[in-house]
Amino acid sequence: MVKSRFSSLDVRAMVNSIRPDVVGCNLTNVYDLNSRVYILKLARRGFKCFLLLESGVRFHLTSYDRDKSAVPSSYTMKLRKHIRTKRLTA
């Protein structure tokens, strides 16, 4: 049986696995691929990655730069306004 949704235990395990890489990074931008998939661009000195978030299904770090929409949605613009340039801690 194939798993189609993340449980809270899955989220906790994924957060613990990506935490060493992303703590101390700055959120440099937010992109949307569609209404359910977002990409957060994270960077710090000598390190850059993308955090792909698919609502309720998955999230993971990637270095692959995907094609983004030319015009961001209003929700993406609001996210950019409030969380861009923030630093990830703990």
Side-chain angles (χ1 to χ4, degrees), residues 49-81:
C49 69
F50 300 95
L51 178 61
L52 186 132
L53 302 164
E54 187 172 358
S55 179
V57 179
R58 65 185 169 135
F59 66 95
H60 58 86
L61 291 177
T62 182
S63 59
Y64 178 68
D65 193 10
R66 299 180 188 275
D67 293 331
K68 302 160 202 75
S69 58
V71 179
S73 67
S74 60
Y75 181 70
T76 303
M77 293 299 292
K78 193 166 211 64
L79 279 175
R80 286 180 180 180
K81 177 182 174 186

Side-chain angles (χ1 to χ4, degrees), residues 6-49:
F6 255 30
S7 69
S8 59
L9 290 175
D10 295 326
V11 171
R12 183 178 175 136
M14 283 299 297
V15 167
N16 285 335
S17 72
I18 67 171
R19 178 177 284 146
D21 294 328
V22 300
V23 169
C25 287
N26 290 324
L27 181 75
T28 57
N29 215 342
V30 179
Y31 305 101
D32 61 339
L33 298 180
N34 57 44
S35 64
R36 295 182 49 91
V37 181
Y38 293 91
I39 296 177
L40 307 179
K41 184 177 180 182
L42 304 169
R44 68 173 176 248
R45 188 179 310 264
F47 178 75
K48 179 178 85 167
C49 69

